[in-house]
Amino acid sequence: MANEGMKLIANNKKAYHDYFIEEKYEAGLVLHGTEVKSLRQGKCSIKESFIRIENGEMFIYGMHISPYEKGNIFNKDPLRPKKLLLHKREIMKLLGKIKEKGYTLVPLQVYFTSGRAKIEIGLAKGKKLYDKRDDIAKKDQRRESERDFKVKNL
């Protein structure tokens, strides 16, 4: 997403390696004051995080937001589950999809847009080992062809 005024905070490259991303959704994050300040400083990790739907609400687990240095007693637990804001019909649609075999919800990136913290989540299907090897081989081949092209054009 190359929106105007978008400030990227955290990216989950591992998700693209481990999953086929079929659909992407933008969700809001419910945060407390010191968490927002930490996010503005770029102190966030979503590498080991995952998303669950419970009682018609969506939560992200394992998203680490480092405590704000000047936050003292107002700091919250860095790994506490955070609620995601989506329309009810979107949550129900995703719930139907993840009940199908092999589908899951993964966080892709965290960013600010128009002063609001947003998270991009993807409806994903797990890759098999041979799919991952295929992707690595294609990436190596592309890199090699770019290198050859660069050498020829010097």
Side-chain angles (χ1 to χ4, degrees):
M1 298 192 126
N3 294 356
E4 289 298 316
M6 185 180 117
K7 181 187 172 208
L8 186 66
I9 297 156
N11 202 353
N12 192 357
K13 291 180 183 177
K14 190 178 175 204
Y16 291 99
H17 178 69
D18 292 342
Y19 300 98
F20 293 112
I21 308 298
E22 301 201 355
E23 291 179 40
K24 294 180 182 179
Y25 295 90
E26 182 181 70
L29 278 162
V30 176
L31 300 170
H32 294 280
T34 54
E35 290 177 323
V36 176
K37 290 178 179 187
S38 279
L39 276 183
R40 290 204 186 280
Q41 292 178 343
K43 297 185 177 177
C44 175
S45 172
I46 54 172
K47 279 188 173 59
E48 299 298 320
S49 57
F50 58 95
I51 297 169
R52 281 199 182 137
I53 299 175
E54 298 166 358
N55 302 327
E57 295 180 329
M58 201 177 264
F59 293 92
I60 183 166
Y61 294 89
M63 178 179 173
H64 187 278
I65 299 177
S66 298
Y68 185 57
E69 293 105 35
K70 300 177 185 112
N72 57 40
I73 61 166
F74 298 107
N75 281 330
K76 300 288 183 197
D77 176 27
L79 287 172
R80 74 175 182 87
K82 291 149 193 76
K83 187 174 176 181
L84 301 180
L85 303 172
L86 265 98
H87 290 286
K88 194 64 129 184
R89 66 178 178 278
E90 287 178 314
I91 293 174
M92 289 303 137
K93 179 183 172 190
L94 287 170
L95 185 61
K97 288 276 192 176
I98 62 173
K99 289 202 187 238
E100 291 178 33
K101 191 175 186 296
Y103 281 102
T104 187
L105 293 171
V106 292
L108 301 175
Q109 59 185 14
V110 179
Y111 53 91
F112 276 104
T113 189
S114 306
R116 304 223 188 270
K118 301 284 184 181
I119 186 166
E120 185 178 58
I121 58 176
L123 181 65
K125 197 171 190 115
K127 284 185 182 178
K128 302 279 189 258
L129 185 60
Y130 57 84
D131 292 327
K132 293 178 190 177
R133 287 186 187 139
D134 236 16
D135 285 352
I136 292 169
K138 285 178 187 172
K139 195 186 298 181
D140 287 344
Q141 189 177 17
R142 183 180 51 80
R143 199 177 296 131
E144 194 67 39
S145 65
E146 285 175 2
R147 193 178 301 127
D148 291 344
F149 181 74
K150 188 176 176 183
V151 170
K152 288 178 185 174
N153 289 335
L154 284 179

